[in-house]
Amino acid sequence: GALAAELRQSISALGSFDADRTFIAPRSVLKESAPHRVRTRGGRLPLLLLVCGLALLAIVIGALALHGTKGHSPGGAVSGGPTVPLQAVGSYDPPSDGGDGSEHNTGPHSIADATDHNPSTFWTTDIYNTAQFGGLKPGVGLVLDAGRATKLTRLTVTTDTPGLTAEIKAGSSASGPFATDSSSRTVSGTTTFPLNGAAARYYLVWITLLPPGNVAHVNEVRATS
């Protein structure tokens, strides 16, 4: 009761409420900023994996394209496996086929010129009256030595007398006999013969039809295993 009486007395002493003298200051409001996202390591991991995957795919595509290019070289160039060094060692003109065995073994253009890595030099056949060797024989050839029994996959012939027809034969002796190891092809400039894969030391470029002029040159022969 005493407390209530004292409160009444205090209110009376204050007097009446004066609205003009009373001011309630507005409360300051801080502008809320946009929420800040914290990027974690886990968010970057899928992106990194995606980039690595695309890089790996590009490498695989490039490797396949390169492999395809090697397997199908333009212009009949040698492609595929490693190069096998060949040495031209003789002409093949067997008497049993009407030859005399002396198909240009000597002269300014020698047998060795066919594998001297110089396309301006060449081994040459004799000059005949017709493209069919004047009816004297079925063909003449150039014998190549691989050094040991080797399974060649391709043999490439370069000539500056385009239009000759030839096939590749294989055997275990430089004097024959030889077995056919490729299909017949017309040699124009540089032509590659895919081989059947016979294992042989000696290979024969067997010319069965002469080009215009009735003489054939073999400027270079290369092979791959």
Side-chain angles (χ1 to χ4, degrees):
L3 178 61
E6 188 174 349
L7 288 176
R8 291 189 191 98
Q9 184 179 358
S10 297
I11 292 173
S12 298
L14 291 174
S16 63
F17 174 75
D18 187 354
D20 292 335
R21 297 176 62 187
T22 304
F23 175 75
I24 301 176
R27 182 178 179 183
S28 60
V29 179
L30 296 177
K31 185 177 179 181
E32 185 178 359
S33 61
H36 179 66
R37 294 183 180 179
V38 179
R39 184 174 294 179
T40 63
R41 288 180 175 269
R44 281 189 279 182
L45 184 58
L47 179 61
L48 180 61
L49 291 177
L50 176 61
V51 172
C52 291
L54 291 175
L56 180 60
L57 180 61
I59 293 173
V60 172
I61 292 174
L64 291 176
L66 181 61
H67 178 73
T69 301
K70 287 183 177 181
H72 303 280
S73 298
V78 176
S79 60
T83 301
V84 176
L86 296 176
Q87 182 178 0
V89 293
S91 298
Y92 189 68
D93 187 20
S96 60
D97 289 339
D100 59 7
S102 61
E103 190 79 17
H104 264 283
N105 284 317
T106 60
H109 303 291
S110 67
I111 292 169
D113 289 336
T115 52
D116 64 353
H117 306 289
N118 182 358
S120 65
T121 61
F122 52 84
W123 169 83
T124 179
T125 66
D126 289 327
I127 301 175
Y128 293 87
N129 292 328
T130 68
Q132 292 79 20
F133 307 96
L136 300 174
K137 61 188 75 172
V140 295
L142 175 67
V143 182
L144 306 153
D145 185 1
R148 59 185 178 83
T150 305
K151 284 187 178 182
L152 299 182
T153 59
R154 291 177 177 84
L155 192 144
T156 298
V157 177
T158 300
T159 182
D160 60 6
T161 55
L164 68 93
T165 300
E167 62 187 40
I168 307 303
K169 295 176 177 285
S172 58
S173 171
S175 59
F178 295 95
T180 301
D181 197 32
S182 80
S183 60
S184 178
R185 290 197 169 195
T186 299
V187 180
S188 299
T190 297
T191 300
T192 296
F193 292 79
L195 303 184
N196 298 327
R201 173 172 176 173
Y202 297 96
Y203 288 83
L204 175 69
V205 179
W206 180 243
I207 301 170
T208 57
L209 188 67
L210 295 170
N214 303 327
V215 60
H217 298 168
V218 177
N219 296 60
E220 282 297 316
V221 183
R222 294 173 293 157
T224 56
S225 62

PDB file of all heavy atoms in Angstrom, residues 50-89:
ATOM      1  N   LEU A  50      35.268 -34.025 -65.364  1.00  0.00           N
ATOM      2  CA  LEU A  50      34.742 -33.825 -66.705  1.00  0.00           C
ATOM      3  C   LEU A  50      35.838 -33.356 -67.657  1.00  0.00           C
ATOM      4  O   LEU A  50      35.972 -33.846 -68.779  1.00  0.00           O
ATOM      5  CB  LEU A  50      33.595 -32.815 -66.665  1.00  0.00           C
ATOM      6  CG  LEU A  50      32.983 -32.431 -68.028  1.00  0.00           C
ATOM      7  CD1 LEU A  50      32.407 -33.664 -68.708  1.00  0.00           C
ATOM      8  CD2 LEU A  50      31.929 -31.364 -67.857  1.00  0.00           C
ATOM      9  N   VAL A  51      36.663 -32.400 -67.197  1.00  0.00           N
ATOM     10  CA  VAL A  51      37.754 -31.889 -68.045  1.00  0.00           C
ATOM     11  C   VAL A  51      38.751 -32.995 -68.357  1.00  0.00           C
ATOM     12  O   VAL A  51      39.211 -33.151 -69.495  1.00  0.00           O
ATOM     13  CB  VAL A  51      38.450 -30.701 -67.348  1.00  0.00           C
ATOM     14  CG1 VAL A  51      39.692 -30.292 -68.123  1.00  0.00           C
ATOM     15  CG2 VAL A  51      37.485 -29.518 -67.243  1.00  0.00           C
ATOM     16  N   CYS A  52      39.096 -33.790 -67.344  1.00  0.00           N
ATOM     17  CA  CYS A  52      40.041 -34.893 -67.558  1.00  0.00           C
ATOM     18  C   CYS A  52      39.469 -35.915 -68.536  1.00  0.00           C
ATOM     19  O   CYS A  52      40.179 -36.451 -69.391  1.00  0.00           O
ATOM     20  CB  CYS A  52      40.376 -35.566 -66.228  1.00  0.00           C
ATOM     21  SG  CYS A  52      41.353 -34.526 -65.112  1.00  0.00           S
ATOM     22  N   GLY A  53      38.166 -36.186 -68.408  1.00  0.00           N
ATOM     23  CA  GLY A  53      37.531 -37.139 -69.314  1.00  0.00           C
ATOM     24  C   GLY A  53      37.560 -36.671 -70.753  1.00  0.00           C
ATOM     25  O   GLY A  53      37.836 -37.442 -71.678  1.00  0.00           O
ATOM     26  N   LEU A  54      37.276 -35.367 -70.965  1.00  0.00           N
ATOM     27  CA  LEU A  54      37.309 -34.820 -72.322  1.00  0.00           C
ATOM     28  C   LEU A  54      38.726 -34.850 -72.900  1.00  0.00           C
ATOM     29  O   LEU A  54      38.925 -35.127 -74.082  1.00  0.00           O
ATOM     30  CB  LEU A  54      36.775 -33.382 -72.314  1.00  0.00           C
ATOM     31  CG  LEU A  54      35.273 -33.235 -72.023  1.00  0.00           C
ATOM     32  CD1 LEU A  54      34.899 -31.767 -71.931  1.00  0.00           C
ATOM     33  CD2 LEU A  54      34.446 -33.921 -73.097  1.00  0.00           C
ATOM     34  N   ALA A  55      39.730 -34.563 -72.056  1.00  0.00           N
ATOM     35  CA  ALA A  55      41.117 -34.604 -72.526  1.00  0.00           C
ATOM     36  C   ALA A  55      41.509 -36.020 -72.933  1.00  0.00           C
ATOM     37  O   ALA A  55      42.168 -36.232 -73.958  1.00  0.00           O
ATOM     38  CB  ALA A  55      42.050 -34.081 -71.436  1.00  0.00           C
ATOM     39  N   LEU A  56      41.096 -37.012 -72.126  1.00  0.00           N
ATOM     40  CA  LEU A  56      41.405 -38.398 -72.443  1.00  0.00           C
ATOM     41  C   LEU A  56      40.723 -38.811 -73.738  1.00  0.00           C
ATOM     42  O   LEU A  56      41.322 -39.501 -74.578  1.00  0.00           O
ATOM     43  CB  LEU A  56      40.952 -39.299 -71.293  1.00  0.00           C
ATOM     44  CG  LEU A  56      41.202 -40.803 -71.464  1.00  0.00           C
ATOM     45  CD1 LEU A  56      42.686 -41.078 -71.632  1.00  0.00           C
ATOM     46  CD2 LEU A  56      40.665 -41.575 -70.274  1.00  0.00           C
ATOM     47  N   LEU A  57      39.474 -38.378 -73.928  1.00  0.00           N
ATOM     48  CA  LEU A  57      38.761 -38.703 -75.164  1.00  0.00           C
ATOM     49  C   LEU A  57      39.463 -38.118 -76.374  1.00  0.00           C
ATOM     50  O   LEU A  57      39.585 -38.759 -77.423  1.00  0.00           O
ATOM     51  CB  LEU A  57      37.323 -38.177 -75.073  1.00  0.00           C
ATOM     52  CG  LEU A  57      36.425 -38.427 -76.290  1.00  0.00           C
ATOM     53  CD1 LEU A  57      36.271 -39.920 -76.533  1.00  0.00           C
ATOM     54  CD2 LEU A  57      35.065 -37.780 -76.094  1.00  0.00           C
ATOM     55  N   ALA A  58      39.959 -36.867 -76.237  1.00  0.00           N
ATOM     56  CA  ALA A  58      40.675 -36.231 -77.344  1.00  0.00           C
ATOM     57  C   ALA A  58      41.950 -36.999 -77.688  1.00  0.00           C
ATOM     58  O   ALA A  58      42.307 -37.155 -78.855  1.00  0.00           O
ATOM     59  CB  ALA A  58      41.006 -34.787 -76.986  1.00  0.00           C
ATOM     60  N   ILE A  59      42.660 -37.491 -76.661  1.00  0.00           N
ATOM     61  CA  ILE A  59      43.889 -38.256 -76.896  1.00  0.00           C
ATOM     62  C   ILE A  59      43.583 -39.547 -77.642  1.00  0.00           C
ATOM     63  O   ILE A  59      44.277 -39.932 -78.583  1.00  0.00           O
ATOM     64  CB  ILE A  59      44.600 -38.547 -75.556  1.00  0.00           C
ATOM     65  CG1 ILE A  59      45.127 -37.235 -74.947  1.00  0.00           C
ATOM     66  CG2 ILE A  59      45.732 -39.540 -75.750  1.00  0.00           C
ATOM     67  CD1 ILE A  59      45.678 -37.395 -73.553  1.00  0.00           C
ATOM     68  N   VAL A  60      42.506 -40.238 -77.221  1.00  0.00           N
ATOM     69  CA  VAL A  60      42.134 -41.495 -77.870  1.00  0.00           C
ATOM     70  C   VAL A  60      41.762 -41.264 -79.325  1.00  0.00           C
ATOM     71  O   VAL A  60      42.188 -41.987 -80.225  1.00  0.00           O
ATOM     72  CB  VAL A  60      40.964 -42.152 -77.104  1.00  0.00           C
ATOM     73  CG1 VAL A  60      40.435 -43.356 -77.876  1.00  0.00           C
ATOM     74  CG2 VAL A  60      41.420 -42.589 -75.720  1.00  0.00           C
ATOM     75  N   ILE A  61      40.953 -40.212 -79.581  1.00  0.00           N
ATOM     76  CA  ILE A  61      40.557 -39.913 -80.959  1.00  0.00           C
ATOM     77  C   ILE A  61      41.785 -39.580 -81.807  1.00  0.00           C
ATOM     78  O   ILE A  61      41.921 -40.017 -82.951  1.00  0.00           O
ATOM     79  CB  ILE A  61      39.539 -38.753 -80.974  1.00  0.00           C
ATOM     80  CG1 ILE A  61      38.216 -39.206 -80.333  1.00  0.00           C
ATOM     81  CG2 ILE A  61      39.289 -38.273 -82.406  1.00  0.00           C
ATOM     82  CD1 ILE A  61      37.207 -38.101 -80.184  1.00  0.00           C
ATOM     83  N   GLY A  62      42.715 -38.788 -81.244  1.00  0.00           N
ATOM     84  CA  GLY A  62      43.927 -38.449 -81.979  1.00  0.00           C
ATOM     85  C   GLY A  62      44.770 -39.670 -82.297  1.00  0.00           C
ATOM     86  O   GLY A  62      45.320 -39.800 -83.389  1.00  0.00           O
ATOM     87  N   ALA A  63      44.868 -40.593 -81.320  1.00  0.00           N
ATOM     88  CA  ALA A  63      45.657 -41.814 -81.544  1.00  0.00           C
ATOM     89  C   ALA A  63      45.035 -42.677 -82.629  1.00  0.00           C
ATOM     90  O   ALA A  63      45.729 -43.235 -83.483  1.00  0.00           O
ATOM     91  CB  ALA A  63      45.780 -42.600 -80.237  1.00  0.00           C
ATOM     92  N   LEU A  64      43.687 -42.786 -82.613  1.00  0.00           N
ATOM     93  CA  LEU A  64      43.018 -43.576 -83.635  1.00  0.00           C
ATOM     94  C   LEU A  64      43.187 -42.947 -85.007  1.00  0.00           C
ATOM     95  O   LEU A  64      43.389 -43.639 -86.008  1.00  0.00           O
ATOM     96  CB  LEU A  64      41.525 -43.700 -83.292  1.00  0.00           C
ATOM     97  CG  LEU A  64      41.186 -44.562 -82.067  1.00  0.00           C
ATOM     98  CD1 LEU A  64      39.698 -44.514 -81.783  1.00  0.00           C
ATOM     99  CD2 LEU A  64      41.641 -45.995 -82.272  1.00  0.00           C
ATOM    100  N   ALA A  65      43.102 -41.610 -85.052  1.00  0.00           N
ATOM    101  CA  ALA A  65      43.284 -40.924 -86.338  1.00  0.00           C
ATOM    102  C   ALA A  65      44.692 -41.114 -86.869  1.00  0.00           C
ATOM    103  O   ALA A  65      44.905 -41.334 -88.057  1.00  0.00           O
ATOM    104  CB  ALA A  65      42.966 -39.438 -86.175  1.00  0.00           C
ATOM    105  N   LEU A  66      45.677 -41.031 -85.951  1.00  0.00           N
ATOM    106  CA  LEU A  66      47.064 -41.239 -86.361  1.00  0.00           C
ATOM    107  C   LEU A  66      47.285 -42.647 -86.854  1.00  0.00           C
ATOM    108  O   LEU A  66      47.955 -42.885 -87.850  1.00  0.00           O
ATOM    109  CB  LEU A  66      48.004 -40.943 -85.187  1.00  0.00           C
ATOM    110  CG  LEU A  66      49.507 -41.088 -85.460  1.00  0.00           C
ATOM    111  CD1 LEU A  66      49.932 -40.129 -86.555  1.00  0.00           C
ATOM    112  CD2 LEU A  66      50.299 -40.819 -84.194  1.00  0.00           C
ATOM    113  N   HIS A  67      46.678 -43.620 -86.163  1.00  0.00           N
ATOM    114  CA  HIS A  67      46.808 -45.010 -86.580  1.00  0.00           C
ATOM    115  C   HIS A  67      46.198 -45.215 -87.961  1.00  0.00           C
ATOM    116  O   HIS A  67      46.759 -45.894 -88.811  1.00  0.00           O
ATOM    117  CB  HIS A  67      46.131 -45.915 -85.562  1.00  0.00           C
ATOM    118  CG  HIS A  67      46.171 -47.379 -85.932  1.00  0.00           C
ATOM    119  ND1 HIS A  67      47.322 -48.140 -85.861  1.00  0.00           N
ATOM    120  CD2 HIS A  67      45.208 -48.200 -86.402  1.00  0.00           C
ATOM    121  CE1 HIS A  67      47.059 -49.376 -86.259  1.00  0.00           C
ATOM    122  NE2 HIS A  67      45.773 -49.426 -86.600  1.00  0.00           N
ATOM    123  N   GLY A  68      45.044 -44.599 -88.173  1.00  0.00           N
ATOM    124  CA  GLY A  68      44.409 -44.713 -89.476  1.00  0.00           C
ATOM    125  C   GLY A  68      45.234 -44.105 -90.572  1.00  0.00           C
ATOM    126  O   GLY A  68      45.308 -44.613 -91.682  1.00  0.00           O
ATOM    127  N   THR A  69      45.898 -43.000 -90.279  1.00  0.00           N
ATOM    128  CA  THR A  69      46.744 -42.354 -91.273  1.00  0.00           C
ATOM    129  C   THR A  69      47.931 -43.225 -91.623  1.00  0.00           C
ATOM    130  O   THR A  69      48.331 -43.342 -92.768  1.00  0.00           O
ATOM    131  CB  THR A  69      47.235 -40.995 -90.739  1.00  0.00           C
ATOM    132  OG1 THR A  69      46.090 -40.189 -90.453  1.00  0.00           O
ATOM    133  CG2 THR A  69      48.113 -40.301 -91.762  1.00  0.00           C
ATOM    134  N   LYS A  70      48.502 -43.865 -90.622  1.00  0.00           N
ATOM    135  CA  LYS A  70      49.641 -44.743 -90.896  1.00  0.00           C
ATOM    136  C   LYS A  70      49.229 -45.943 -91.716  1.00  0.00           C
ATOM    137  O   LYS A  70      49.960 -46.454 -92.541  1.00  0.00           O
ATOM    138  CB  LYS A  70      50.267 -45.214 -89.574  1.00  0.00           C
ATOM    139  CG  LYS A  70      51.038 -44.128 -88.848  1.00  0.00           C
ATOM    140  CD  LYS A  70      51.679 -44.697 -87.610  1.00  0.00           C
ATOM    141  CE  LYS A  70      52.526 -43.662 -86.881  1.00  0.00           C
ATOM    142  NZ  LYS A  70      53.163 -44.217 -85.681  1.00  0.00           N
ATOM    143  N   GLY A  71      48.085 -46.463 -91.458  1.00  0.00           N
ATOM    144  CA  GLY A  71      47.652 -47.661 -92.155  1.00  0.00           C
ATOM    145  C   GLY A  71      47.232 -47.424 -93.581  1.00  0.00           C
ATOM    146  O   GLY A  71      47.154 -48.348 -94.364  1.00  0.00           O
ATOM    147  N   HIS A  72      46.937 -46.153 -93.950  1.00  0.00           N
ATOM    148  CA  HIS A  72      46.465 -45.858 -95.290  1.00  0.00           C
ATOM    149  C   HIS A  72      47.170 -44.621 -95.801  1.00  0.00           C
ATOM    150  O   HIS A  72      46.594 -43.554 -95.895  1.00  0.00           O
ATOM    151  CB  HIS A  72      44.945 -45.649 -95.288  1.00  0.00           C
ATOM    152  CG  HIS A  72      44.195 -46.827 -94.736  1.00  0.00           C
ATOM    153  ND1 HIS A  72      43.939 -47.951 -95.482  1.00  0.00           N
ATOM    154  CD2 HIS A  72      43.679 -47.053 -93.498  1.00  0.00           C
ATOM    155  CE1 HIS A  72      43.266 -48.814 -94.748  1.00  0.00           C
ATOM    156  NE2 HIS A  72      43.102 -48.302 -93.552  1.00  0.00           N
ATOM    157  N   SER A  73      48.422 -44.757 -96.110  1.00  0.00           N
ATOM    158  CA  SER A  73      49.199 -43.610 -96.562  1.00  0.00           C
ATOM    159  C   SER A  73      48.815 -43.251 -97.979  1.00  0.00           C
ATOM    160  O   SER A  73      48.640 -44.129 -98.827  1.00  0.00           O
ATOM    161  CB  SER A  73      50.701 -43.931 -96.509  1.00  0.00           C
ATOM    162  OG  SER A  73      51.077 -44.207 -95.188  1.00  0.00           O
ATOM    163  N   PRO A  74      48.678 -41.946 -98.284  1.00  0.00           N
ATOM    164  CA  PRO A  74      48.343 -41.542 -99.642  1.00  0.00           C
ATOM    165  C   PRO A  74      49.487 -41.791-100.589  1.00  0.00           C
ATOM    166  O   PRO A  74      50.640 -41.815-100.213  1.00  0.00           O
ATOM    167  CB  PRO A  74      48.071 -40.031 -99.495  1.00  0.00           C
ATOM    168  CG  PRO A  74      48.880 -39.622 -98.302  1.00  0.00           C
ATOM    169  CD  PRO A  74      48.841 -40.803 -97.379  1.00  0.00           C
ATOM    170  N   GLY A  75      49.145 -42.002-101.867  1.00  0.00           N
ATOM    171  CA  GLY A  75      50.162 -42.140-102.900  1.00  0.00           C
ATOM    172  C   GLY A  75      50.870 -43.472-102.899  1.00  0.00           C
ATOM    173  O   GLY A  75      51.874 -43.647-103.556  1.00  0.00           O
ATOM    174  N   GLY A  76      50.386 -44.463-102.132  1.00  0.00           N
ATOM    175  CA  GLY A  76      50.986 -45.778-102.132  1.00  0.00           C
ATOM    176  C   GLY A  76      52.284 -45.851-101.381  1.00  0.00           C
ATOM    177  O   GLY A  76      53.108 -46.715-101.631  1.00  0.00           O
ATOM    178  N   ALA A  77      52.536 -44.934-100.453  1.00  0.00           N
ATOM    179  CA  ALA A  77      53.787 -44.939 -99.707  1.00  0.00           C
ATOM    180  C   ALA A  77      53.815 -46.089 -98.726  1.00  0.00           C
ATOM    181  O   ALA A  77      52.796 -46.630 -98.339  1.00  0.00           O
ATOM    182  CB  ALA A  77      53.961 -43.612 -98.961  1.00  0.00           C
ATOM    183  N   VAL A  78      55.029 -46.475 -98.319  1.00  0.00           N
ATOM    184  CA  VAL A  78      55.176 -47.555 -97.362  1.00  0.00           C
ATOM    185  C   VAL A  78      54.598 -47.129 -96.026  1.00  0.00           C
ATOM    186  O   VAL A  78      54.845 -46.035 -95.543  1.00  0.00           O
ATOM    187  CB  VAL A  78      56.672 -47.921 -97.210  1.00  0.00           C
ATOM    188  CG1 VAL A  78      56.841 -48.973 -96.136  1.00  0.00           C
ATOM    189  CG2 VAL A  78      57.226 -48.434 -98.530  1.00  0.00           C
ATOM    190  N   SER A  79      53.796 -47.977 -95.402  1.00  0.00           N
ATOM    191  CA  SER A  79      53.210 -47.674 -94.108  1.00  0.00           C
ATOM    192  C   SER A  79      53.085 -48.957 -93.321  1.00  0.00           C
ATOM    193  O   SER A  79      53.318 -50.043 -93.828  1.00  0.00           O
ATOM    194  CB  SER A  79      51.833 -47.015 -94.286  1.00  0.00           C
ATOM    195  OG  SER A  79      50.982 -47.896 -94.987  1.00  0.00           O
ATOM    196  N   GLY A  80      52.654 -48.827 -92.065  1.00  0.00           N
ATOM    197  CA  GLY A  80      52.437 -49.998 -91.244  1.00  0.00           C
ATOM    198  C   GLY A  80      53.586 -50.230 -90.301  1.00  0.00           C
ATOM    199  O   GLY A  80      53.925 -49.370 -89.492  1.00  0.00           O
ATOM    200  N   GLY A  81      54.242 -51.439 -90.388  1.00  0.00           N
ATOM    201  CA  GLY A  81      55.274 -51.822 -89.449  1.00  0.00           C
ATOM    202  C   GLY A  81      56.627 -51.205 -89.780  1.00  0.00           C
ATOM    203  O   GLY A  81      56.753 -50.326 -90.621  1.00  0.00           O
ATOM    204  N   PRO A  82      57.678 -51.704 -89.105  1.00  0.00           N
ATOM    205  CA  PRO A  82      59.014 -51.144 -89.328  1.00  0.00           C
ATOM    206  C   PRO A  82      59.547 -51.457 -90.725  1.00  0.00           C
ATOM    207  O   PRO A  82      59.208 -52.463 -91.332  1.00  0.00           O
ATOM    208  CB  PRO A  82      59.861 -51.856 -88.259  1.00  0.00           C
ATOM    209  CG  PRO A  82      59.110 -53.108 -87.953  1.00  0.00           C
ATOM    210  CD  PRO A  82      57.663 -52.769 -88.101  1.00  0.00           C
ATOM    211  N   THR A  83      60.397 -50.563 -91.207  1.00  0.00           N
ATOM    212  CA  THR A  83      61.007 -50.744 -92.522  1.00  0.00           C
ATOM    213  C   THR A  83      62.045 -51.857 -92.483  1.00  0.00           C
ATOM    214  O   THR A  83      62.829 -51.969 -91.537  1.00  0.00           O
ATOM    215  CB  THR A  83      61.666 -49.434 -92.987  1.00  0.00           C
ATOM    216  OG1 THR A  83      60.671 -48.415 -93.049  1.00  0.00           O
ATOM    217  CG2 THR A  83      62.315 -49.594 -94.348  1.00  0.00           C
ATOM    218  N   VAL A  84      62.049 -52.682 -93.500  1.00  0.00           N
ATOM    219  CA  VAL A  84      63.019 -53.775 -93.622  1.00  0.00           C
ATOM    220  C   VAL A  84      63.994 -53.411 -94.745  1.00  0.00           C
ATOM    221  O   VAL A  84      63.572 -53.194 -95.889  1.00  0.00           O
ATOM    222  CB  VAL A  84      62.324 -55.108 -93.938  1.00  0.00           C
ATOM    223  CG1 VAL A  84      63.363 -56.213 -94.151  1.00  0.00           C
ATOM    224  CG2 VAL A  84      61.362 -55.478 -92.820  1.00  0.00           C
ATOM    225  N   PRO A  85      65.297 -53.309 -94.463  1.00  0.00           N
ATOM    226  CA  PRO A  85      66.258 -52.979 -95.525  1.00  0.00           C
ATOM    227  C   PRO A  85      66.373 -54.112 -96.535  1.00  0.00           C
ATOM    228  O   PRO A  85      66.500 -55.279 -96.175  1.00  0.00           O
ATOM    229  CB  PRO A  85      67.571 -52.767 -94.753  1.00  0.00           C
ATOM    230  CG  PRO A  85      67.399 -53.540 -93.482  1.00  0.00           C
ATOM    231  CD  PRO A  85      65.940 -53.473 -93.144  1.00  0.00           C
ATOM    232  N   LEU A  86      66.297 -53.744 -97.790  1.00  0.00           N
ATOM    233  CA  LEU A  86      66.433 -54.720 -98.873  1.00  0.00           C
ATOM    234  C   LEU A  86      67.668 -54.395 -99.698  1.00  0.00           C
ATOM    235  O   LEU A  86      68.077 -53.237 -99.791  1.00  0.00           O
ATOM    236  CB  LEU A  86      65.194 -54.681 -99.782  1.00  0.00           C
ATOM    237  CG  LEU A  86      63.852 -55.078 -99.169  1.00  0.00           C
ATOM    238  CD1 LEU A  86      62.745 -54.875-100.203  1.00  0.00           C
ATOM    239  CD2 LEU A  86      63.867 -56.517 -98.688  1.00  0.00           C
ATOM    240  N   GLN A  87      68.236 -55.432-100.305  1.00  0.00           N
ATOM    241  CA  GLN A  87      69.363 -55.246-101.212  1.00  0.00           C
ATOM    242  C   GLN A  87      69.067 -55.968-102.511  1.00  0.00           C
ATOM    243  O   GLN A  87      68.796 -57.178-102.518  1.00  0.00           O
ATOM    244  CB  GLN A  87      70.658 -55.783-100.590  1.00  0.00           C
ATOM    245  CG  GLN A  87      71.875 -55.563-101.481  1.00  0.00           C
ATOM    246  CD  GLN A  87      73.162 -56.063-100.827  1.00  0.00           C
ATOM    247  OE1 GLN A  87      73.125 -56.577 -99.713  1.00  0.00           O
ATOM    248  NE2 GLN A  87      74.273 -55.908-101.524  1.00  0.00           N
ATOM    249  N   ALA A  88      69.084 -55.230-103.604  1.00  0.00           N
ATOM    250  CA  ALA A  88      68.902 -55.859-104.912  1.00  0.00           C
ATOM    251  C   ALA A  88      70.153 -56.668-105.243  1.00  0.00           C
ATOM    252  O   ALA A  88      71.268 -56.138-105.229  1.00  0.00           O
ATOM    253  CB  ALA A  88      68.647 -54.796-105.972  1.00  0.00           C
ATOM    254  N   VAL A  89      69.955 -57.964-105.553  1.00  0.00           N
ATOM    255  CA  VAL A  89      71.113 -58.836-105.720  1.00  0.00           C
ATOM    256  C   VAL A  89      71.184 -59.515-107.081  1.00  0.00           C
ATOM    257  O   VAL A  89      72.191 -60.165-107.395  1.00  0.00           O
ATOM    258  CB  VAL A  89      71.135 -59.923-104.610  1.00  0.00           C
ATOM    259  CG1 VAL A  89      71.372 -59.290-103.252  1.00  0.00           C
ATOM    260  CG2 VAL A  89      69.846 -60.740-104.618  1.00  0.00           C
TER     261      VAL A  89
END
